[in-house]
Amino acid sequence: MTSTSGNDADAAGLDGPAASAVPAVELIGIGKRFGAVVANADVDLVLRRGTVHAVMGENGAGKSTLMSMLFGLLEPDSGEIRIDGRPVRFAGPLDAIAAGLGMVHQHFRLFDTMTVAENVVYGAEPRRPGFFGRGVVDRAAAAARVRELSERYGLESDPDAVVGSLSAGARQRVEILKALHRDARILILDEPTAVLTPNEVTSLFAVIRRAAEGGATVVLVTHKIHEVLSVSDEVTVLRDGRVTGRFATAEATAASLVHAMTGRAIDEVRNPRTGTPGATVLEVSGLTVGDSGAGSGSGSRTSPGGGGVAAVSDVSFEVRAGEIVGIAGVSGNGQHELVAAVLGTLPARSGRVRILGDDVAGRSVRDRRALGLAVIPEDRRGEGSAVTMSVAENVTLGHHRTPPIGSASGVGRGWMSIRAERARARELIRDYDVRTSGELQPIGALSGGNAQKVVIARELSHRAPLVIAEQPTQGVDVGAIESIHGRLLEHRADGGALLLVSHEISELLALADRILVMYAGRIVAEFPADEATTARIGAAMAGAAEAASEPDPEDPES
Amino acid sequence: MTSTTTPPATGPEAPAPGRPGARLVRAALRHPAVVPVGAVVLALLIGAVIILAAGLDPVTAYAAVISGALEPGSLDYTFSVWGFIIGMALAAAIPLRMGEFNLGGNGQLVLGGLTAAVIAGNLPLPGPIVIPLAVLGAAVVSGAFGAISAPLATRFGIPIIISTLLLSPIAVAVVSYLVRFPLGEAGAAVAQTPRLPQDARMWALGDLSYSNVGLLIILALLVVFWLVDSRSAVGFELRVVGANRRFGAYGGVRVGRLALGAMAAAGAAAGVVGAVMVMSSPFRLIDGALISPGYTFAGLAAALLAGGRPALIPVTAILFTVLQVGGAAMERSADVPRQLSDVLQGVVIVVLALRTVLDQRRTERSSA
Ligand SMILES: Nc1ncnc2c1ncn2[C@@H]1O[C@H](COP(=O)(O)OP(=O)(O)OP(=O)(O)O)[C@@H](O)[C@H]1O
Ligand SMILES: [Mg+2]
């Protein structure tokens, strides 16, 4: 290592208070383009040691790109990165890890079929001692390491659990453990809370604060203003790839952050609660869904009752035309299986589902959709899109057999018009303000929030009488949240029925006419809108077994 | 980790870090054509090493391959082989489009050949009726045989790659038995069916002796696949399922039915190849003669190399055709055994299969 100046050399040798004069990380004049898209332009970012620094911005503002450059995944076109005052140039993430960085990505990068311990040590495995042992991973040591780290940082985690069976929150903890295992002093968290429930967010923030107090430097990318206000020390706001605001959190207000992000004020839309619901559109009675294995468990917060429990048991409710029914619950309590059983991707063990009066038992997904069902799924990359296919192809699935793209009858039956496909895609991109270089760009190259808009555009453009939306606003920015909420309310106003599954109590309070709470596969509470409060829903979500005493992370305005 | 002593850059106009050459190379390496082309180059290099190890000259050997395949006198034959390889590439590519591997080409091929031999040899009908009938019959029988693998996968969870691989030798053995005993030509020294009557032989193309209308039929199948793949709802669904099976299922694609159709179409394509081969010179089904040239394997390699994309299949098929046809010439003039071309195909398949596995790992990792 060489240093640029005498001052830096002095400081670099020291640790402790004197060293904190030199920031842990400095990004100076960073620029990055993808073809014609300017993802970052002249970005300066300073991260001081022992602080939590929030990075905010709209979808496609360039947050992930900036973090990827800091972590060595992308190479900046211009500018300089300094760690502890020394300029560095990373050829790849391994260099960044060696320099003490750790990153938790917006999309998890875990092996679903391997255990927590295997995932944590992957790439830096403890080896057995001795000449012959060196090629062999020491599983016991790996598990012990996971336990030790979990304890030290208060990250609850079972080293032997298979990652595929964990909830989003538990996977998130595995990602963080992975970074901590490699002794990261600088932690990059890219939208870690997008898939977390309020309680998981609270415990994540406790971990973050503990790490910062221990001298680590944390960068937190997020869209949620209340999170920024509650956990960070400093904030940098990006818009269209440029820095538009720098704040000490103590001096920032929600309005000033929103203004820096969007250049305008955002009006929160709310359900007007006018009109009376019409006929029943979705009727679920006595529905029980078996354990689907991977993806259904709730990980280390094991559902009471242990193994062999049905993911959904004896659930009954209905959704009527012109009504929004919300489902609250900690993830992994059967909400996803409930949706999958209505859609038909998971078989029901018993019970009945009727869509517009038709019993759909034994019907295919296609038939159910044809009856008038559209679904915005929770797992955008795994289920809601094909990352290697273009935006146009991604908005076409489900519309490819009907006009204007396909044709339901006549000679054109079964054929598609590529021209109509592209024209329709361009129209939706415009209507939903998807930031993309064109309809032929692979959806995997879009920023997370923009990909989410594509999925929503595809499903809402069915104009189906029944829409099921799971976490519809995960990862989208404040402006887009309001526009998506606006569209969901429009659907209601047009007489559509909406089943809204969300972790965000504030979202449910703003949109739903009725809120059901799921816990351990059952509906344990139901609140009409005027009786629902954050505290009551939170208590019901925690179930009878867990104390309802956890602090409420939802209160600050957002 | 590397660190440098360059002065801090101050603005977006500052010189870009990293040598542009190195970055260009890195970007070029990510191009999707790199792996397939690399596989071919690697195969040729390994072949060269093997030839060298045998004490022979790789340059003369490869020159012999190319001149052997492309000299004017053998073009007629080369084109017919190209057609067969394209046909077998279709049998692999159609399921490959939805992420399934059809390794049962041999069984589908011989069943088609047998069906054509039975129909063409026993129905005393005029050519314009019996020839299409034989080709169609072969497509139906082989298609049905190929389609068995789909319900095995959807109902019983047996992967298509396994069931096709296991069912194929059974079909080959049954056909071999039938050719030897009940259907074989009495008194012949070789296990073969009787020669087809004049009327039941595939129409010739001018005075060419190997390439015939069968080649055009196979090329027509390729065009149909290309149209279906790029323009039809079914083709779109195939590609969606190939890109992300869960996305397809969620979007309402009936994956089981799609697999049934894809496997039936794949089997039918192989069956047509079998029929054309039987109805070409020497106009009979000889035990083992349909599989011994290795068109199934070459077709699979061509399909993999093309990534299942119909527009690329004719191109990748040229490569394996040249290897196949030129291999014999190489044996004659450069003394290199023709099995070398099998080795080269094998290397290409291994490299591309490796890529598929790595890709799968990567997508598995990026689940949320
Ligand atoms: N690999 C890529 N190829 C082409 N364009 C890209 C690529 N990665 C990002 N972009 C573009 O760069 C811009 C910035 O994307 P980035 O992912 O950094 O946004 P973001 O701020 O993280 O947004 P979000 O909040 O939605 O995750 C977007 O316009 C995006 O489409
Ligand atoms: Mg992002």
Side-chain angles (χ1 to χ4, degrees):
Chain A
M1 293 226 181
T2 41
S3 54
T4 40
S5 72
N7 292 352
D8 289 1
D10 286 346
L14 296 171
D15 246 357
S20 61
V22 178
V25 177
E26 286 167 279
L27 300 176
I28 303 163
I30 299 287
K32 179 78 189 174
R33 328 169 120 252
F34 295 102
V37 179
V38 179
N40 284 144
D42 200 11
V43 174
D44 294 334
L45 180 68
V46 177
L47 310 177
R48 291 186 299 110
R49 197 164 299 126
T51 62
V52 178
H53 195 114
V55 173
M56 304 195 72
E58 297 186 291
N59 296 128
K63 305 176 297 293
S64 296
T65 305
L66 188 66
M67 295 304 121
S68 299
M69 286 189 285
L70 174 56
F71 195 57
L73 286 164
L74 291 173
E75 201 172 347
D77 295 339
S78 58
E80 187 180 66
I81 299 174
R82 297 192 197 175
I83 307 284
D84 296 331
R86 284 177 295 254
V88 294
R89 188 172 292 163
F90 298 137
L94 290 180
D95 285 352
I97 290 166
L101 281 90
M103 180 156 179
V104 175
H105 295 271
Q106 188 167 3
H107 305 288
F108 298 154
R109 302 188 171 202
L110 297 171
F111 293 107
D112 283 354
T113 50
M114 304 213 291
T115 65
V116 168
E118 285 164 344
N119 267 287
V120 168
V121 301
Y122 179 80
E125 298 91 347
R127 302 287 177 177
R128 294 251 177 90
F131 180 75
F132 293 106
R134 236 176 299 162
V136 184
V137 176
D138 190 338
R139 279 165 205 282
R145 174 78 173 152
V146 170
R147 266 187 220 103
E148 179 218 316
L149 288 171
S150 314
E151 215 157 285
R152 176 147 33 114
Y153 291 94
L155 283 161
E156 194 189 322
S157 192
D158 172 10
D160 301 321
V162 174
V163 164
S165 70
L166 298 183
S167 70
R171 289 183 204 204
Q172 186 85 68
R173 292 195 287 274
V174 177
E175 286 276 15
I176 297 171
L177 284 171
K178 219 168 109 182
L180 294 172
H181 166 62
R182 295 155 185 228
D183 296 319
R185 295 175 295 109
I186 301 162
L187 261 182
I188 307 169
L189 305 170
D190 192 356
E191 292 193 38
T193 59
V195 292
L196 299 191
T197 58
N199 289 347
E200 289 170 332
V201 171
T202 314
S203 55
L204 172 68
F205 285 175
V207 171
I208 290 178
R209 290 273 27 143
R210 196 175 313 186
E213 274 147 31
T217 307
V218 182
V219 200
L220 176 70
V221 176
T222 179
H223 290 294
K224 298 176 189 164
I225 289 166
H226 63 265
E227 294 179 1
V228 170
L229 294 175
S230 71
V231 77
S232 72
D233 300 302
E234 290 170 350
V235 193
T236 297
V237 180
L238 293 179
R239 183 160 90 227
D240 295 333
R242 295 176 181 276
V243 175
T244 51
R246 284 198 187 82
F247 303 88
T249 306
E251 287 150 27
T253 62
S256 63
L257 292 176
V258 168
H259 195 268
M261 270 195 287
T262 61
R264 62 195 165 97
I266 299 287
D267 305 316
E268 195 184 331
V269 294
R270 296 193 73 88
N271 187 333
R273 310 250 150 74
T274 51
T276 40
T280 300
V281 176
L282 172 66
E283 183 191 339
V284 173
S285 51
L287 185 69
T288 298
V289 182
D291 204 13
S292 72
S296 70
S298 55
S300 45
R301 30 166 24 112
T302 338
S303 49
V309 186
V312 176
S313 43
D314 196 20
V315 164
S316 305
F317 65 92
E318 49 186 52
V319 186
R320 287 165 294 168
E323 184 185 40
I324 299 181
V325 173
I327 294 198
V330 172
S331 84
N333 275 287
Q335 304 93 318
H336 181 69
E337 288 78 4
L338 170 65
V339 173
V342 174
L343 176 62
T345 49
L346 208 58
R349 214 189 271 166
S350 62
R352 204 200 315 272
V353 175
R354 286 174 189 275
I355 297 174
L356 287 163
D358 272 308
D359 189 340
V360 296
R363 303 264 201 115
S364 68
V365 175
R366 183 151 133 197
D367 291 345
R368 295 178 192 214
R369 279 178 168 275
L371 281 176
L373 167 67
V375 177
I376 297 163
E378 168 182 53
D379 184 354
R380 177 173 63 227
R381 285 169 79 87
E383 185 168 26
S385 63
V387 289
T388 52
M389 296 183 91
S390 71
V391 171
E393 287 167 319
N394 270 285
V395 285
T396 296
L397 183 63
H399 302 272
H400 61 291
R401 287 180 185 276
T402 45
I405 294 171
S407 157
S409 58
V411 279
R413 184 155 184 259
W415 296 94
M416 290 166 63
S417 157
I418 304 301
R419 189 185 303 168
E421 172 180 12
R422 292 186 55 181
R424 179 175 163 280
R426 277 195 297 270
E427 200 175 297
L428 289 176
I429 286 171
R430 187 159 25 82
D431 286 357
Y432 284 80
D433 188 28
V434 180
R435 309 282 167 85
T436 163
S437 62
E439 73 275 13
L440 297 183
Q441 191 177 25
I443 196 172
L446 262 54
S447 79
N450 281 302
Q452 179 73 10
K453 292 184 206 165
V454 173
V455 172
I456 291 177
R458 177 187 64 227
E459 295 302 315
L460 289 187
S461 63
H462 278 294
R463 308 219 150 273
L466 173 61
V467 172
I468 301 180
E470 280 183 275
Q471 320 299 343
T473 55
Q474 63 177 338
V476 304
D477 63 53
V478 278
I481 286 176
E482 300 316 321
S483 97
I484 290 169
H485 283 179
R487 285 180 190 275
L488 295 178
L489 290 172
E490 235 168 68
H491 169 74
R492 173 186 181 276
D494 293 346
L498 174 68
L499 181 65
L500 173 68
V501 179
S502 179
H503 300 150
E504 299 279 340
I505 298 179
S506 58
E507 179 165 80
L508 294 167
L509 290 175
L511 298 183
D513 294 295
R514 277 189 297 139
I515 298 174
L516 313 176
V517 182
M518 270 189 93
Y519 179 75
R522 295 176 181 279
I523 289 177
V524 294
E526 172 170 354
F527 302 100
D530 47 6
E531 286 170 26
T533 63
T534 306
R536 296 181 73 174
I537 296 174
M541 278 169 70
E546 281 181 59
S549 62
E550 304 210 33
D552 176 11
E554 287 296 323
D555 250 354
E557 75 175 295
S558 53
Chain B
M1 175 189 150
T2 52
S3 55
T4 60
T5 51
T6 45
T10 44
E13 283 80 45
R19 275 155 295 129
R23 249 194 302 147
L24 247 163
V25 169
R26 228 178 297 155
L29 276 180
R30 257 181 257 126
H31 194 274
V34 166
V35 177
V37 172
V40 171
V41 172
L42 185 71
L44 292 177
L45 285 178
I46 290 178
V49 170
I50 294 174
I51 299 170
L52 273 177
L56 301 163
D57 179 8
V59 178
T60 22
Y62 284 146
V65 168
I66 292 177
S67 64
L70 300 184
E71 74 191 3
S74 58
L75 273 182
D76 171 18
Y77 177 67
T78 305
F79 267 112
S80 72
V81 171
W82 182 60
F84 297 145
I85 291 183
I86 287 181
M88 295 314 291
L90 281 177
I94 298 170
L96 190 62
R97 229 33 190 145
M98 66 175 292
E100 299 288 3
F101 290 85
N102 173 18
L103 298 186
N106 276 342
Q108 296 150 11
L109 182 70
V110 294
L111 274 183
L114 179 82
T115 311
V118 169
I119 293 178
N122 294 303
L123 291 185
L125 294 168
I129 297 174
V130 81
I131 292 174
L133 210 60
V135 172
L136 232 88
V140 168
V141 170
S142 294
F145 178 66
I148 296 174
S149 293
L152 287 181
T154 33
R155 291 277 154 76
F156 305 106
I158 306 168
I160 287 181
I161 185 171
I162 304 284
S163 66
T164 50
L165 187 68
L166 295 183
L167 285 173
S168 176
I170 299 176
V172 171
V174 167
V175 169
S176 179
Y177 166 79
L178 291 176
V179 172
R180 247 167 240 281
F181 303 106
L183 301 176
E185 189 179 33
V190 209
Q192 59 185 24
T193 57
R195 254 167 101 91
L196 298 180
Q198 200 67 41
D199 257 2
R201 298 178 185 176
M202 188 52 78
W203 300 294
L205 277 179
D207 51 4
L208 296 180
S209 42
Y210 293 101
S211 296
N212 52 33
V213 171
L215 171 66
L216 301 186
I217 295 177
I218 292 170
L219 290 179
L221 291 182
L222 177 70
V223 171
V224 169
F225 176 45
W226 174 71
L227 278 174
V228 167
D229 179 75
S230 57
R231 293 291 145 85
S232 79
V234 169
F236 176 69
E237 291 178 355
L238 271 180
R239 287 183 285 124
V240 165
V241 172
N244 180 353
R245 187 167 287 255
R246 274 182 69 207
F247 178 47
Y250 146 88
V253 177
R254 295 165 182 154
V255 179
R257 269 197 221 183
L258 196 66
L260 189 77
M263 285 309 298
V272 169
V273 174
V276 171
M277 286 176 79
V278 164
M279 292 156 79
S280 304
S281 162
F283 310 111
R284 54 169 40 139
L285 176 58
I286 306 170
D287 187 27
L290 296 190
I291 24 188
S292 61
Y295 297 143
T296 305
F297 202 44
L300 175 66
L304 277 173
L305 199 57
R309 278 184 288 267
L312 292 182
I313 287 175
V315 182
T316 56
I318 290 177
L319 179 79
F320 294 101
T321 307
V322 168
L323 277 178
Q324 195 93 23
V325 178
M330 172 178 74
E331 190 168 54
R332 258 180 281 117
S333 61
D335 239 3
V336 177
R338 69 164 81 190
Q339 277 72 22
L340 185 74
S341 43
D342 295 343
V343 173
L344 301 192
Q345 283 171 18
V347 173
V348 169
I349 290 181
V350 167
V351 171
L352 294 172
L354 212 64
R355 184 203 28 191
T356 315
V357 170
L358 289 179
D359 277 355
Q360 259 165 16
R361 273 230 135 161
R362 211 172 306 146
T363 44
E364 190 184 313
R365 270 188 81 170
S366 52
S367 72

